[in-house]
Amino acid sequence: MSRYPAPDINDLPDDIKARVLEVQEKAGFVPNVFLALARRPAEWRAFFAYHDALMTPETVGRTSGLTKGEREMIVTATSAANQCLYCVVAHGAILRIYEKKPLVADQVAVNHRKADISPRQRAMLDFAMKVCQQSHAIEDADIDALHAHGFTDEDAWDIAAITAFFGLSNRMASFSGMMPNPEFYLMGRQPKPR
């Protein structure tokens, strides 16, 4: 799974163990990131608190102008730019499910400008990629380009914060040798039987 052995789920602090079991119940497996980061409980708690605030803002009483799928697009595109296998595969799977498009994650990861996404989403990813690769060069014109597609200043903050947070996540996953769970590769590629 990684260069650092994951702790046994039964040895985790109660709050972390409960969250891991909740995720396992919902997904049918435990994503490797949950156990890999649990080796340092205080960091795990901080990581997932910020993750949840960004990726599920409704859980902290905040609204966002970004859909769940758009948040996953940002993660997938910028994680590809950062060459993070774990995050591209894992968040690409979630993106396919949210958008109900089996090809979108691969397209966004390789070249979002040619992906089957809306002009609004393309502008969002253009901004995210600039934050990812040249945050020092962000100008008012970059924010204005988002405004032209209906994004607010708060949406721009969300795009930048998701990009920056997953830059940290990408680097930790890559450095530690974290590998994607095999289950992620097939998720959202075939429609679910009805």
Side-chain angles (χ1 to χ4, degrees):
M1 177 173 81
S2 79
R3 289 187 175 95
Y4 292 85
D8 185 289
I9 194 168
N10 295 311
D11 295 334
L12 297 177
D14 289 343
D15 61 320
I16 295 175
K17 181 179 178 180
R19 174 78 184 269
V20 170
L21 292 174
E22 178 185 323
V23 169
Q24 181 179 33
E25 176 70 25
K26 184 175 181 182
F29 65 100
V30 177
N32 289 337
V33 68
F34 282 87
L35 292 178
L37 296 180
R39 61 188 307 279
R40 292 188 169 191
E43 292 174 29
W44 187 99
R45 290 180 187 103
F47 180 91
F48 281 105
Y50 196 32
H51 171 278
D52 294 350
L54 293 172
M55 300 304 284
T56 54
E58 61 279 2
T59 63
V60 295
R62 191 175 65 79
T63 60
S64 173
L66 306 177
T67 67
K68 290 179 179 182
E70 288 170 340
R71 289 191 288 269
E72 296 297 339
M73 274 182 204
I74 294 165
V75 178
T76 302
T78 60
S79 294
N82 290 328
Q83 300 182 44
C84 180
L85 178 64
Y86 184 90
C87 291
V88 170
V89 173
H91 290 275
I94 300 167
L95 170 57
R96 288 189 298 273
I97 290 167
Y98 284 155
E99 291 294 305
K100 296 177 178 45
K101 291 181 178 179
L103 306 179
V104 71
D106 297 334
Q107 294 171 347
V108 164
V110 173
N111 184 347
H112 75 274
R113 289 180 187 92
K114 293 185 178 185
D116 182 21
I117 58 176
S118 71
R120 177 182 188 273
Q121 291 166 334
R122 192 165 290 110
M124 173 190 75
L125 293 181
D126 285 344
F127 180 74
M129 293 299 284
K130 188 166 183 180
V131 170
C132 177
Q133 299 172 322
Q134 299 177 303
S135 60
H136 62 279
I138 295 291
E139 302 174 320
D140 289 344
D142 298 304
I143 307 294
D144 292 342
L146 289 176
H147 291 163
H149 288 277
F151 290 104
T152 66
D153 288 341
E154 292 303 311
D155 297 333
W157 183 284
D158 283 346
I159 296 165
I162 291 166
T163 300
F165 174 79
F166 279 94
L168 165 101
S169 181
N170 298 159
R171 284 156 180 81
M172 292 304 294
S174 294
F175 132 81
S176 68
M178 193 183 310
M179 295 303 292
N181 302 68
E183 293 89 345
F184 282 127
Y185 286 94
L186 297 179
M187 288 171 57
R189 294 201 184 272
Q190 296 291 328
K192 284 188 174 184
R194 293 180 193 219

